[in-house]
Amino acid sequence: MINQEQYKIIENCVMKDYKNTAGIVVMKKGQLMLEQYFNGCDAESMVHVYSVTKSIVSILIGIALDQGFIKSIDQKVLDFFPEYVIKRGEKLIQQITLRDLLIMQAPFKYRIPPYLKYFKSDDWLQFTLDLLGGRKPVKTFNYTPLIGPDIFTGILRRSSGQTVLEFAREYLFEPLGINVEKSIYFNSKEEQMAFNKAKDINGWAADLTGLNAGGWGLTLSTLDMAKIGQLYLDNGLWKGKQIVSEQWVKMSTKRQNFWEQEKLAYGYLWWVIDEEKHSAAAVGDGGNVIYYNAEHDLVIAITSLFVPRAKDRLAFIKNTIEPLFIG
């Protein structure tokens, strides 16, 4: 465990620059080194982790491959939705693969993401498929944080015959001791805004067809986040059981694409922080992060209550938290 002086360094940094932090958990060599909560939160608090959801979905895709529900990430997206009616003159959508979506290079037919229309839609999968493709070629990097990942949850539902939450419970959550209680449905904008700010809602957002969101909508505790980090640090192994293949963990946290604008490497719905040190992260809006560094056998999880334009938690981890544990 860290000493009182180190504890104060982290606490002072939170109070100064990261005031919306809900919890911080640090694991080293599989041992709990720090568990610290703020803003009235505790170990039971469940926070909407935003785009961290995408990295969880990546794990589920890896498991679906392991289980034979999906044959290859080079399968075409429309192989899973043969009933989808392609609009006249559209050919590009037929070429797009799961790999294109995993590494964020699939094109979409919008310049400004139509978030309001998306949230008002009863069927997020249909809405997203209707925007996939267009006339532009597949790009090198085209980050689509919200509109796009529902295709993956649609594929999981279609290929496994289970709801996404059922699949996640059976193959990932229950083996790790993570409790996600229910699918959450919103009847109004106000309900969704309340969900975004809540500390005590346990579940995963879903549309009216029952499809769980692929790019957002999952609530987790800080300890839950640390478990996911530990799973990936240990190459998919948890208490002697291979939850997801080592190959998938390595490929999903290996540089597969690069965002020139932000100078960030990308794997399969995971951010690659340092390939040499085997360091990667799942990052969600508002300051939610799962970070691990295999070189130092270190996992750092941070949950945060949403505020717009939250300060970069990866900088907080790299500059303040991590140095306290690798000396």
Side-chain angles (χ1 to χ4, degrees):
M1 301 292 286
I2 61 172
N3 59 41
Q4 190 64 25
E5 182 180 348
Q6 293 169 317
Y7 176 94
K8 279 306 239 184
I9 289 172
I10 294 174
E11 184 177 56
N12 290 341
C13 203
V14 168
M15 294 299 102
K16 180 182 177 184
D17 294 319
Y18 305 98
K19 294 180 181 179
N20 66 315
T21 300
I24 302 173
V25 167
V26 179
M27 307 279 292
K28 186 167 186 180
K29 297 182 179 179
Q31 300 299 311
L32 183 64
M33 304 297 291
L34 173 71
E35 184 179 2
Q36 197 170 354
Y37 297 99
F38 306 88
N39 289 303
C41 295
D42 57 28
E44 303 300 317
S45 297
M46 303 289 286
V47 173
H48 179 198
V49 296
Y50 291 85
S51 285
V52 169
T53 307
K54 284 199 285 292
S55 299
I56 305 301
V57 168
S58 173
I59 301 173
L60 299 179
I61 292 293
I63 292 170
L65 282 161
D66 296 339
Q67 297 294 325
F69 296 120
I70 297 172
K71 295 176 183 177
S72 166
I73 61 170
D74 292 315
Q75 284 183 264
K76 302 291 194 299
V77 167
L78 292 190
D79 287 351
F80 295 91
F81 310 108
E83 76 284 2
Y84 182 75
V85 179
I86 301 168
K87 294 178 178 60
R88 185 175 178 182
E90 289 192 8
K91 296 181 179 180
L92 185 56
I93 189 173
Q94 300 174 66
Q95 304 169 20
I96 297 170
T97 66
L98 275 66
R99 184 187 301 274
D100 293 326
L101 287 166
L102 281 166
I103 68 174
M104 292 288 174
Q105 69 174 15
F108 285 84
K109 305 169 198 167
Y110 58 78
R111 290 168 61 186
I112 299 173
Y115 291 144
L116 289 178
K117 289 182 180 179
Y118 167 83
F119 285 122
K120 289 179 179 179
S121 170
D122 293 340
D123 187 334
W124 296 335
L125 175 60
Q126 182 72 40
F127 184 89
T128 303
L129 287 173
D130 286 344
L131 290 174
L132 183 64
R135 300 184 185 279
K136 296 180 181 178
V138 173
K139 295 184 177 182
T140 303
F141 193 86
N142 180 34
Y143 187 59
T144 52
L146 186 67
I147 300 172
D150 292 330
I151 293 173
F152 284 121
T153 47
I155 287 170
L156 286 167
R157 181 173 66 177
R158 177 63 61 90
S159 63
S160 71
Q162 298 174 280
T163 70
V164 179
L165 182 51
E166 287 170 345
F167 183 88
R169 279 180 182 150
E170 180 175 352
Y171 293 103
L172 179 63
F173 294 156
E174 289 181 358
L176 267 62
I178 294 172
N179 177 35
V180 179
E181 289 182 354
K182 60 187 177 182
S183 290
I184 298 168
Y185 301 91
F186 303 115
N187 296 309
S188 66
K189 177 182 176 181
E190 289 71 27
E191 284 187 9
Q192 186 175 336
M193 295 304 293
F195 168 76
N196 290 340
K197 297 176 181 178
K199 308 172 188 176
D200 58 354
I201 298 177
N202 184 325
W204 194 342
D207 69 11
L208 294 185
T209 75
L211 181 69
N212 296 103
W216 64 285
L218 181 63
T219 68
L220 294 171
S221 72
T222 318
L223 285 167
D224 292 338
M225 299 260 276
K227 288 177 180 179
I228 297 294
Q230 191 68 47
L231 175 72
Y232 255 47
L233 186 146
D234 290 335
N235 292 313
L237 194 67
W238 183 263
K239 295 184 178 180
K241 181 180 179 182
Q242 198 73 41
I243 303 299
V244 63
S245 68
E246 180 177 351
Q247 180 185 14
W248 182 260
V249 173
K250 289 184 174 178
M251 292 302 291
S252 61
T253 56
K254 176 182 178 181
R255 174 172 165 167
Q256 306 286 350
N257 209 339
F258 193 77
W259 193 358
E260 285 289 348
Q261 179 183 322
E262 300 293 334
K263 303 302 180 188
L264 290 170
Y266 204 67
Y268 295 158
L269 305 181
W270 281 80
W271 297 100
V272 182
I273 307 304
D274 190 324
E275 212 166 350
E276 289 186 5
K277 295 180 179 179
H278 302 290
S279 175
V283 180
D285 206 357
N288 292 282
V289 178
I290 301 169
Y291 168 91
Y292 73 91
N293 183 328
E295 181 181 67
H296 295 290
D297 210 346
L298 190 68
V299 172
I300 300 171
I302 301 177
T303 53
S304 300
L305 305 174
F306 180 75
V307 294
R309 296 178 294 280
K311 291 195 71 171
D312 183 7
R313 291 313 195 271
L314 285 174
F316 180 30
I317 288 169
K318 296 293 291 180
N319 298 333
T320 303
I321 302 175
E322 187 174 53
L324 297 173
F325 294 90
I326 63 175

